[in-house]
Amino acid sequence: MAQRFVDLLFRAVTGGLLWLFALLTPKSRVSGKKLPPVRHPLLLESATQLARKIRRREVSSVEVVQTYIDRIQEVNPLINAVVQDRFSAALQEAAQVDKLIKETGGEDVLEDRLPLLGVPLSVKESFALQGMPHTAGSVSKKGTLALVDAPSVALLKRAGAIPLGVTNVPEQCMWIESHNHVYGMTRNPYDLDRISGGSSGGEGSILGGAGSVIGVGSDIGGSIRLPCFFCGVFGHKTTPGIVSNDLQLPPCSGREEELLSTGPMCRYAEDLLPMLKILAGPNADKLSLDTKVDLKKLRIFTLPDCGGAPLTNPVSEDLKQAQRKVVERLEADLKVKVEEVHFPELKHSLDMWFASASLPDNKGKEPTSFAKLLGEPGPPIWPFWELLKAAVGKSNHTLPAIVFAIMSKLTKPPFSVLEIKEKLQQDVVELLGSDGILLYPTFTRVAPKHHHPLLFFNDVLYTAIFNVLALPVTQCPLGLNEEGLPLGLQVVAGPLQDHLTIQTALYLEKAFGGWTDPGAK
């Protein structure tokens, strides 16, 4: 009852603040505009295809990199996704790639050692990329540059990928809209008045806008899947413990490492598997990534919604219809029966996430409070004081970050739900086994308008639950709705069965068309 009161108070306060914020915020100078269509054919090739053409000298790395630089310069003034570029260095690295290929030859050797040789890459700003800003959108860290690469970034670079720049995030990566007082607001490439998602929202936006072909993101509650959903691209939340989360901001504390997964984001499904192989490094052997998957032999389940969790919105009809079409197509093409299932425990999804994120580590140390994260390197912020400052435009912190810090102070972690979590985890893992997949909505609606996520916060339970359950999930686009906004859903599998969801993504891309050029709609 106390938790319900806090939630109701949260909605009332944030609703009023949202109204005030909208009243005080000037209309965007890009409102009503749209992205230009993709014109260069290289922008319509997957990373896998580009790498092959570069190795065969059918196209130079310099030409590919320059084409993507041109596209970023064309769309970024509209979407504000890339917050710092390294174009000059990238062109120099591309020239070195072309020289290496000319001198070395041996396409097979290069493919094995350098599978992404010469292919451009975008990187979430919260990942350390040597020489680039590394602030997680925090004003107190403005001007901080990464001294080394995060292990995941290093692996992609070692595979031959060429970073073009870093992309925007919410403040301290803890929101579903990418907006902060260091870089400003990132916009959705399909509608500039809507959000791109978070926390990997800059990645989702630049990928959806065809300014990048592959990127790397992290996901602690939906931070890969939500941006990919809102921006119409593919993303994969890996089984936790497979890909390194080191040298990311904010650093994990408590048992947050168990919730966090680093994974690939891309426009074309065929890039998911090779990227995951690279990112997993020595842990790739724990996954069956080279195992051939016969989709006709999979057991397929569908779950239409969370069952009506408190203070959540119902799943919109266009998303329900998109999921039904997937079920119908699977049954028709594969001659299988998709079984609808229900788990009443899903009503507690958000409580399970908060409780899991609040657990102390093995030494009994509590996770770092959000107020402390916002105050670093100084003392913790006073959230209510920052709220007053924000009301007159004087706070260095965004409204969502302040509200999240207040909620963290007011809300007692609901540890009693952890027993429910254990039962749910056992039931879902047992259901999926090593040959099952589950279809589940990603959110309750397509990309919301800017600032509106303050009213839909509880709806993140649709993604957050799979961080709690430690399951691999691939986010798949399913075309556009009548408003021209991306539809999509999550494909979930059992632990270490990442290859099943990725192979399903390849099928869904062929069946429903995959990514759609936002400038062509």
Side-chain angles (χ1 to χ4, degrees), residues 369-388:
S369 73
F370 197 63
K372 183 176 181 181
L373 281 175
L374 293 178
E376 290 179 344
I381 68 163
W382 294 4
F384 289 102
W385 175 237
E386 291 297 331
L387 186 61
L388 291 173

mmCIF file with all atom_site columns, all heavy atoms in Angstrom, residues 369-388:
data_model
loop_
_atom_site.group_PDB
_atom_site.id
_atom_site.type_symbol
_atom_site.label_atom_id
_atom_site.label_alt_id
_atom_site.label_comp_id
_atom_site.label_asym_id
_atom_site.label_entity_id
_atom_site.label_seq_id
_atom_site.pdbx_PDB_ins_code
_atom_site.Cartn_x
_atom_site.Cartn_y
_atom_site.Cartn_z
_atom_site.occupancy
_atom_site.B_iso_or_equiv
_atom_site.pdbx_formal_charge
_atom_site.auth_seq_id
_atom_site.auth_comp_id
_atom_site.auth_asym_id
_atom_site.auth_atom_id
_atom_site.pdbx_PDB_model_num
ATOM 1   N N   . SER A 1 369 ? 24.317 4.960  -4.296  1.00 0.00 ? 369 SER A N   1
ATOM 2   C CA  . SER A 1 369 ? 23.030 5.640  -4.472  1.00 0.00 ? 369 SER A CA  1
ATOM 3   C C   . SER A 1 369 ? 23.073 6.526  -5.711  1.00 0.00 ? 369 SER A C   1
ATOM 4   O O   . SER A 1 369 ? 24.128 7.029  -6.104  1.00 0.00 ? 369 SER A O   1
ATOM 5   C CB  . SER A 1 369 ? 22.699 6.484  -3.247  1.00 0.00 ? 369 SER A CB  1
ATOM 6   O OG  . SER A 1 369 ? 23.518 7.646  -3.195  1.00 0.00 ? 369 SER A OG  1
ATOM 7   N N   . PHE A 1 370 ? 21.897 6.732  -6.309  1.00 0.00 ? 370 PHE A N   1
ATOM 8   C CA  . PHE A 1 370 ? 21.851 7.564  -7.515  1.00 0.00 ? 370 PHE A CA  1
ATOM 9   C C   . PHE A 1 370 ? 22.193 9.015  -7.182  1.00 0.00 ? 370 PHE A C   1
ATOM 10  O O   . PHE A 1 370 ? 22.824 9.709  -7.980  1.00 0.00 ? 370 PHE A O   1
ATOM 11  C CB  . PHE A 1 370 ? 20.482 7.458  -8.179  1.00 0.00 ? 370 PHE A CB  1
ATOM 12  C CG  . PHE A 1 370 ? 20.482 7.932  -9.598  1.00 0.00 ? 370 PHE A CG  1
ATOM 13  C CD1 . PHE A 1 370 ? 21.252 7.298  -10.564 1.00 0.00 ? 370 PHE A CD1 1
ATOM 14  C CD2 . PHE A 1 370 ? 19.721 9.017  -9.995  1.00 0.00 ? 370 PHE A CD2 1
ATOM 15  C CE1 . PHE A 1 370 ? 21.274 7.743  -11.883 1.00 0.00 ? 370 PHE A CE1 1
ATOM 16  C CE2 . PHE A 1 370 ? 19.718 9.465  -11.305 1.00 0.00 ? 370 PHE A CE2 1
ATOM 17  C CZ  . PHE A 1 370 ? 20.505 8.824  -12.257 1.00 0.00 ? 370 PHE A CZ  1
ATOM 18  N N   . ALA A 1 371 ? 21.806 9.463  -5.992  1.00 0.00 ? 371 ALA A N   1
ATOM 19  C CA  . ALA A 1 371 ? 22.158 10.824 -5.571  1.00 0.00 ? 371 ALA A CA  1
ATOM 20  C C   . ALA A 1 371 ? 23.673 10.998 -5.487  1.00 0.00 ? 371 ALA A C   1
ATOM 21  O O   . ALA A 1 371 ? 24.222 12.043 -5.849  1.00 0.00 ? 371 ALA A O   1
ATOM 22  C CB  . ALA A 1 371 ? 21.517 11.142 -4.223  1.00 0.00 ? 371 ALA A CB  1
ATOM 23  N N   . LYS A 1 372 ? 24.361 9.941  -5.051  1.00 0.00 ? 372 LYS A N   1
ATOM 24  C CA  . LYS A 1 372 ? 25.823 10.007 -4.989  1.00 0.00 ? 372 LYS A CA  1
ATOM 25  C C   . LYS A 1 372 ? 26.428 10.011 -6.388  1.00 0.00 ? 372 LYS A C   1
ATOM 26  O O   . LYS A 1 372 ? 27.371 10.759 -6.663  1.00 0.00 ? 372 LYS A O   1
ATOM 27  C CB  . LYS A 1 372 ? 26.365 8.834  -4.179  1.00 0.00 ? 372 LYS A CB  1
ATOM 28  C CG  . LYS A 1 372 ? 27.885 8.880  -4.000  1.00 0.00 ? 372 LYS A CG  1
ATOM 29  C CD  . LYS A 1 372 ? 28.381 7.749  -3.102  1.00 0.00 ? 372 LYS A CD  1
ATOM 30  C CE  . LYS A 1 372 ? 29.898 7.841  -2.928  1.00 0.00 ? 372 LYS A CE  1
ATOM 31  N NZ  . LYS A 1 372 ? 30.416 6.746  -2.069  1.00 0.00 ? 372 LYS A NZ  1
ATOM 32  N N   . LEU A 1 373 ? 25.891 9.173  -7.278  1.00 0.00 ? 373 LEU A N   1
ATOM 33  C CA  . LEU A 1 373 ? 26.379 9.154  -8.663  1.00 0.00 ? 373 LEU A CA  1
ATOM 34  C C   . LEU A 1 373 ? 26.253 10.535 -9.298  1.00 0.00 ? 373 LEU A C   1
ATOM 35  O O   . LEU A 1 373 ? 27.160 10.999 -9.986  1.00 0.00 ? 373 LEU A O   1
ATOM 36  C CB  . LEU A 1 373 ? 25.597 8.136  -9.488  1.00 0.00 ? 373 LEU A CB  1
ATOM 37  C CG  . LEU A 1 373 ? 25.959 6.663  -9.342  1.00 0.00 ? 373 LEU A CG  1
ATOM 38  C CD1 . LEU A 1 373 ? 24.998 5.806  -10.153 1.00 0.00 ? 373 LEU A CD1 1
ATOM 39  C CD2 . LEU A 1 373 ? 27.394 6.400  -9.788  1.00 0.00 ? 373 LEU A CD2 1
ATOM 40  N N   . LEU A 1 374 ? 25.115 11.187 -9.065  1.00 0.00 ? 374 LEU A N   1
ATOM 41  C CA  . LEU A 1 374 ? 24.888 12.504 -9.666  1.00 0.00 ? 374 LEU A CA  1
ATOM 42  C C   . LEU A 1 374 ? 25.833 13.550 -9.083  1.00 0.00 ? 374 LEU A C   1
ATOM 43  O O   . LEU A 1 374 ? 26.175 14.521 -9.763  1.00 0.00 ? 374 LEU A O   1
ATOM 44  C CB  . LEU A 1 374 ? 23.440 12.941 -9.451  1.00 0.00 ? 374 LEU A CB  1
ATOM 45  C CG  . LEU A 1 374 ? 22.371 12.125 -10.193 1.00 0.00 ? 374 LEU A CG  1
ATOM 46  C CD1 . LEU A 1 374 ? 20.981 12.633 -9.841  1.00 0.00 ? 374 LEU A CD1 1
ATOM 47  C CD2 . LEU A 1 374 ? 22.584 12.174 -11.697 1.00 0.00 ? 374 LEU A CD2 1
ATOM 48  N N   . GLY A 1 375 ? 26.248 13.374 -7.831  1.00 0.00 ? 375 GLY A N   1
ATOM 49  C CA  . GLY A 1 375 ? 27.112 14.365 -7.196  1.00 0.00 ? 375 GLY A CA  1
ATOM 50  C C   . GLY A 1 375 ? 28.587 14.181 -7.455  1.00 0.00 ? 375 GLY A C   1
ATOM 51  O O   . GLY A 1 375 ? 29.384 15.102 -7.216  1.00 0.00 ? 375 GLY A O   1
ATOM 52  N N   . GLU A 1 376 ? 28.994 12.991 -7.898  1.00 0.00 ? 376 GLU A N   1
ATOM 53  C CA  . GLU A 1 376 ? 30.431 12.726 -8.084  1.00 0.00 ? 376 GLU A CA  1
ATOM 54  C C   . GLU A 1 376 ? 31.054 13.707 -9.067  1.00 0.00 ? 376 GLU A C   1
ATOM 55  O O   . GLU A 1 376 ? 30.421 14.110 -10.035 1.00 0.00 ? 376 GLU A O   1
ATOM 56  C CB  . GLU A 1 376 ? 30.623 11.279 -8.575  1.00 0.00 ? 376 GLU A CB  1
ATOM 57  C CG  . GLU A 1 376 ? 30.316 10.249 -7.501  1.00 0.00 ? 376 GLU A CG  1
ATOM 58  C CD  . GLU A 1 376 ? 30.478 8.820  -7.996  1.00 0.00 ? 376 GLU A CD  1
ATOM 59  O OE1 . GLU A 1 376 ? 30.528 8.609  -9.225  1.00 0.00 ? 376 GLU A OE1 1
ATOM 60  O OE2 . GLU A 1 376 ? 30.561 7.914  -7.153  1.00 0.00 ? 376 GLU A OE2 1
ATOM 61  N N   . PRO A 1 377 ? 32.317 14.149 -8.789  1.00 0.00 ? 377 PRO A N   1
ATOM 62  C CA  . PRO A 1 377 ? 33.229 13.661 -7.752  1.00 0.00 ? 377 PRO A CA  1
ATOM 63  C C   . PRO A 1 377 ? 33.050 14.327 -6.390  1.00 0.00 ? 377 PRO A C   1
ATOM 64  O O   . PRO A 1 377 ? 33.836 14.102 -5.483  1.00 0.00 ? 377 PRO A O   1
ATOM 65  C CB  . PRO A 1 377 ? 34.603 14.008 -8.326  1.00 0.00 ? 377 PRO A CB  1
ATOM 66  C CG  . PRO A 1 377 ? 34.349 15.252 -9.125  1.00 0.00 ? 377 PRO A CG  1
ATOM 67  C CD  . PRO A 1 377 ? 32.967 15.089 -9.701  1.00 0.00 ? 377 PRO A CD  1
ATOM 68  N N   . GLY A 1 378 ? 31.985 15.127 -6.226  1.00 0.00 ? 378 GLY A N   1
ATOM 69  C CA  . GLY A 1 378 ? 31.712 15.771 -4.949  1.00 0.00 ? 378 GLY A CA  1
ATOM 70  C C   . GLY A 1 378 ? 30.758 14.943 -4.116  1.00 0.00 ? 378 GLY A C   1
ATOM 71  O O   . GLY A 1 378 ? 30.571 13.754 -4.342  1.00 0.00 ? 378 GLY A O   1
ATOM 72  N N   . PRO A 1 379 ? 30.120 15.567 -3.133  1.00 0.00 ? 379 PRO A N   1
ATOM 73  C CA  . PRO A 1 379 ? 29.172 14.847 -2.262  1.00 0.00 ? 379 PRO A CA  1
ATOM 74  C C   . PRO A 1 379 ? 27.873 14.556 -3.004  1.00 0.00 ? 379 PRO A C   1
ATOM 75  O O   . PRO A 1 379 ? 27.610 15.126 -4.072  1.00 0.00 ? 379 PRO A O   1
ATOM 76  C CB  . PRO A 1 379 ? 28.941 15.842 -1.117  1.00 0.00 ? 379 PRO A CB  1
ATOM 77  C CG  . PRO A 1 379 ? 29.201 17.182 -1.729  1.00 0.00 ? 379 PRO A CG  1
ATOM 78  C CD  . PRO A 1 379 ? 30.288 16.979 -2.734  1.00 0.00 ? 379 PRO A CD  1
ATOM 79  N N   . PRO A 1 380 ? 27.030 13.670 -2.457  1.00 0.00 ? 380 PRO A N   1
ATOM 80  C CA  . PRO A 1 380 ? 25.735 13.391 -3.093  1.00 0.00 ? 380 PRO A CA  1
ATOM 81  C C   . PRO A 1 380 ? 24.900 14.657 -3.237  1.00 0.00 ? 380 PRO A C   1
ATOM 82  O O   . PRO A 1 380 ? 25.004 15.588 -2.425  1.00 0.00 ? 380 PRO A O   1
ATOM 83  C CB  . PRO A 1 380 ? 25.071 12.410 -2.117  1.00 0.00 ? 380 PRO A CB  1
ATOM 84  C CG  . PRO A 1 380 ? 26.200 11.799 -1.354  1.00 0.00 ? 380 PRO A CG  1
ATOM 85  C CD  . PRO A 1 380 ? 27.243 12.864 -1.242  1.00 0.00 ? 380 PRO A CD  1
ATOM 86  N N   . ILE A 1 381 ? 24.079 14.715 -4.266  1.00 0.00 ? 381 ILE A N   1
ATOM 87  C CA  . ILE A 1 381 ? 23.185 15.869 -4.432  1.00 0.00 ? 381 ILE A CA  1
ATOM 88  C C   . ILE A 1 381 ? 22.050 15.793 -3.410  1.00 0.00 ? 381 ILE A C   1
ATOM 89  O O   . ILE A 1 381 ? 21.768 14.742 -2.845  1.00 0.00 ? 381 ILE A O   1
ATOM 90  C CB  . ILE A 1 381 ? 22.604 15.937 -5.856  1.00 0.00 ? 381 ILE A CB  1
ATOM 91  C CG1 . ILE A 1 381 ? 21.639 14.765 -6.110  1.00 0.00 ? 381 ILE A CG1 1
ATOM 92  C CG2 . ILE A 1 381 ? 23.696 15.993 -6.905  1.00 0.00 ? 381 ILE A CG2 1
ATOM 93  C CD1 . ILE A 1 381 ? 20.720 14.957 -7.301  1.00 0.00 ? 381 ILE A CD1 1
ATOM 94  N N   . TRP A 1 382 ? 21.390 16.905 -3.174  1.00 0.00 ? 382 TRP A N   1
ATOM 95  C CA  . TRP A 1 382 ? 20.148 16.961 -2.411  1.00 0.00 ? 382 TRP A CA  1
ATOM 96  C C   . TRP A 1 382 ? 19.025 17.001 -3.441  1.00 0.00 ? 382 TRP A C   1
ATOM 97  O O   . TRP A 1 382 ? 18.753 18.057 -4.030  1.00 0.00 ? 382 TRP A O   1
ATOM 98  C CB  . TRP A 1 382 ? 20.107 18.210 -1.525  1.00 0.00 ? 382 TRP A CB  1
ATOM 99  C CG  . TRP A 1 382 ? 21.123 18.218 -0.423  1.00 0.00 ? 382 TRP A CG  1
ATOM 100 C CD1 . TRP A 1 382 ? 22.087 17.289 -0.195  1.00 0.00 ? 382 TRP A CD1 1
ATOM 101 C CD2 . TRP A 1 382 ? 21.267 19.209 0.598   1.00 0.00 ? 382 TRP A CD2 1
ATOM 102 N NE1 . TRP A 1 382 ? 22.833 17.621 0.894   1.00 0.00 ? 382 TRP A NE1 1
ATOM 103 C CE2 . TRP A 1 382 ? 22.350 18.816 1.421   1.00 0.00 ? 382 TRP A CE2 1
ATOM 104 C CE3 . TRP A 1 382 ? 20.600 20.387 0.915   1.00 0.00 ? 382 TRP A CE3 1
ATOM 105 C CZ2 . TRP A 1 382 ? 22.764 19.540 2.514   1.00 0.00 ? 382 TRP A CZ2 1
ATOM 106 C CZ3 . TRP A 1 382 ? 21.007 21.123 2.006   1.00 0.00 ? 382 TRP A CZ3 1
ATOM 107 C CH2 . TRP A 1 382 ? 22.078 20.704 2.801   1.00 0.00 ? 382 TRP A CH2 1
ATOM 108 N N   . PRO A 1 383 ? 18.358 15.894 -3.702  1.00 0.00 ? 383 PRO A N   1
ATOM 109 C CA  . PRO A 1 383 ? 17.406 15.843 -4.817  1.00 0.00 ? 383 PRO A CA  1
ATOM 110 C C   . PRO A 1 383 ? 16.289 16.891 -4.746  1.00 0.00 ? 383 PRO A C   1
ATOM 111 O O   . PRO A 1 383 ? 15.932 17.479 -5.778  1.00 0.00 ? 383 PRO A O   1
ATOM 112 C CB  . PRO A 1 383 ? 16.831 14.422 -4.722  1.00 0.00 ? 383 PRO A CB  1
ATOM 113 C CG  . PRO A 1 383 ? 17.881 13.630 -4.018  1.00 0.00 ? 383 PRO A CG  1
ATOM 114 C CD  . PRO A 1 383 ? 18.500 14.574 -3.051  1.00 0.00 ? 383 PRO A CD  1
ATOM 115 N N   . PHE A 1 384 ? 15.728 17.140 -3.555  1.00 0.00 ? 384 PHE A N   1
ATOM 116 C CA  . PHE A 1 384 ? 14.626 18.103 -3.474  1.00 0.00 ? 384 PHE A CA  1
ATOM 117 C C   . PHE A 1 384 ? 15.116 19.531 -3.744  1.00 0.00 ? 384 PHE A C   1
ATOM 118 O O   . PHE A 1 384 ? 14.384 20.336 -4.329  1.00 0.00 ? 384 PHE A O   1
ATOM 119 C CB  . PHE A 1 384 ? 13.952 18.007 -2.102  1.00 0.00 ? 384 PHE A CB  1
ATOM 120 C CG  . PHE A 1 384 ? 13.163 16.742 -1.917  1.00 0.00 ? 384 PHE A CG  1
ATOM 121 C CD1 . PHE A 1 384 ? 13.679 15.693 -1.173  1.00 0.00 ? 384 PHE A CD1 1
ATOM 122 C CD2 . PHE A 1 384 ? 11.920 16.597 -2.509  1.00 0.00 ? 384 PHE A CD2 1
ATOM 123 C CE1 . PHE A 1 384 ? 12.955 14.516 -1.010  1.00 0.00 ? 384 PHE A CE1 1
ATOM 124 C CE2 . PHE A 1 384 ? 11.195 15.432 -2.353  1.00 0.00 ? 384 PHE A CE2 1
ATOM 125 C CZ  . PHE A 1 384 ? 11.718 14.375 -1.605  1.00 0.00 ? 384 PHE A CZ  1
ATOM 126 N N   . TRP A 1 385 ? 16.345 19.836 -3.322  1.00 0.00 ? 385 TRP A N   1
ATOM 127 C CA  . TRP A 1 385 ? 16.925 21.146 -3.618  1.00 0.00 ? 385 TRP A CA  1
ATOM 128 C C   . TRP A 1 385 ? 17.170 21.283 -5.119  1.00 0.00 ? 385 TRP A C   1
ATOM 129 O O   . TRP A 1 385 ? 16.887 22.327 -5.717  1.00 0.00 ? 385 TRP A O   1
ATOM 130 C CB  . TRP A 1 385 ? 18.214 21.317 -2.827  1.00 0.00 ? 385 TRP A CB  1
ATOM 131 C CG  . TRP A 1 385 ? 18.996 22.581 -3.130  1.00 0.00 ? 385 TRP A CG  1
ATOM 132 C CD1 . TRP A 1 385 ? 20.285 22.667 -3.558  1.00 0.00 ? 385 TRP A CD1 1
ATOM 133 C CD2 . TRP A 1 385 ? 18.528 23.927 -3.013  1.00 0.00 ? 385 TRP A CD2 1
ATOM 134 N NE1 . TRP A 1 385 ? 20.662 23.983 -3.725  1.00 0.00 ? 385 TRP A NE1 1
ATOM 135 C CE2 . TRP A 1 385 ? 19.587 24.791 -3.397  1.00 0.00 ? 385 TRP A CE2 1
ATOM 136 C CE3 . TRP A 1 385 ? 17.312 24.495 -2.633  1.00 0.00 ? 385 TRP A CE3 1
ATOM 137 C CZ2 . TRP A 1 385 ? 19.471 26.162 -3.412  1.00 0.00 ? 385 TRP A CZ2 1
ATOM 138 C CZ3 . TRP A 1 385 ? 17.189 25.891 -2.637  1.00 0.00 ? 385 TRP A CZ3 1
ATOM 139 C CH2 . TRP A 1 385 ? 18.279 26.696 -3.015  1.00 0.00 ? 385 TRP A CH2 1
ATOM 140 N N   . GLU A 1 386 ? 17.661 20.193 -5.743  1.00 0.00 ? 386 GLU A N   1
ATOM 141 C CA  . GLU A 1 386 ? 17.877 20.224 -7.189  1.00 0.00 ? 386 GLU A CA  1
ATOM 142 C C   . GLU A 1 386 ? 16.559 20.357 -7.953  1.00 0.00 ? 386 GLU A C   1
ATOM 143 O O   . GLU A 1 386 ? 16.510 20.971 -9.014  1.00 0.00 ? 386 GLU A O   1
ATOM 144 C CB  . GLU A 1 386 ? 18.615 18.961 -7.644  1.00 0.00 ? 386 GLU A CB  1
ATOM 145 C CG  . GLU A 1 386 ? 20.058 18.868 -7.173  1.00 0.00 ? 386 GLU A CG  1
ATOM 146 C CD  . GLU A 1 386 ? 20.936 19.986 -7.713  1.00 0.00 ? 386 GLU A CD  1
ATOM 147 O OE1 . GLU A 1 386 ? 20.654 20.499 -8.814  1.00 0.00 ? 386 GLU A OE1 1
ATOM 148 O OE2 . GLU A 1 386 ? 21.912 20.345 -7.026  1.00 0.00 ? 386 GLU A OE2 1
ATOM 149 N N   . LEU A 1 387 ? 15.487 19.798 -7.379  1.00 0.00 ? 387 LEU A N   1
ATOM 150 C CA  . LEU A 1 387 ? 14.176 19.929 -8.011  1.00 0.00 ? 387 LEU A CA  1
ATOM 151 C C   . LEU A 1 387 ? 13.722 21.385 -8.029  1.00 0.00 ? 387 LEU A C   1
ATOM 152 O O   . LEU A 1 387 ? 13.202 21.884 -9.043  1.00 0.00 ? 387 LEU A O   1
ATOM 153 C CB  . LEU A 1 387 ? 13.156 19.060 -7.266  1.00 0.00 ? 387 LEU A CB  1
ATOM 154 C CG  . LEU A 1 387 ? 11.760 18.957 -7.876  1.00 0.00 ? 387 LEU A CG  1
ATOM 155 C CD1 . LEU A 1 387 ? 11.814 18.348 -9.264  1.00 0.00 ? 387 LEU A CD1 1
ATOM 156 C CD2 . LEU A 1 387 ? 10.864 18.112 -6.964  1.00 0.00 ? 387 LEU A CD2 1
ATOM 157 N N   . LEU A 1 388 ? 13.942 22.080 -6.921  1.00 0.00 ? 388 LEU A N   1
ATOM 158 C CA  . LEU A 1 388 ? 13.615 23.512 -6.868  1.00 0.00 ? 388 LEU A CA  1
ATOM 159 C C   . LEU A 1 388 ? 14.467 24.297 -7.861  1.00 0.00 ? 388 LEU A C   1
ATOM 160 O O   . LEU A 1 388 ? 13.968 25.189 -8.564  1.00 0.00 ? 388 LEU A O   1
ATOM 161 C CB  . LEU A 1 388 ? 13.815 24.049 -5.449  1.00 0.00 ? 388 LEU A CB  1
ATOM 162 C CG  . LEU A 1 388 ? 12.833 23.550 -4.386  1.00 0.00 ? 388 LEU A CG  1
ATOM 163 C CD1 . LEU A 1 388 ? 13.259 24.032 -3.004  1.00 0.00 ? 388 LEU A CD1 1
ATOM 164 C CD2 . LEU A 1 388 ? 11.420 24.018 -4.699  1.00 0.00 ? 388 LEU A CD2 1
#
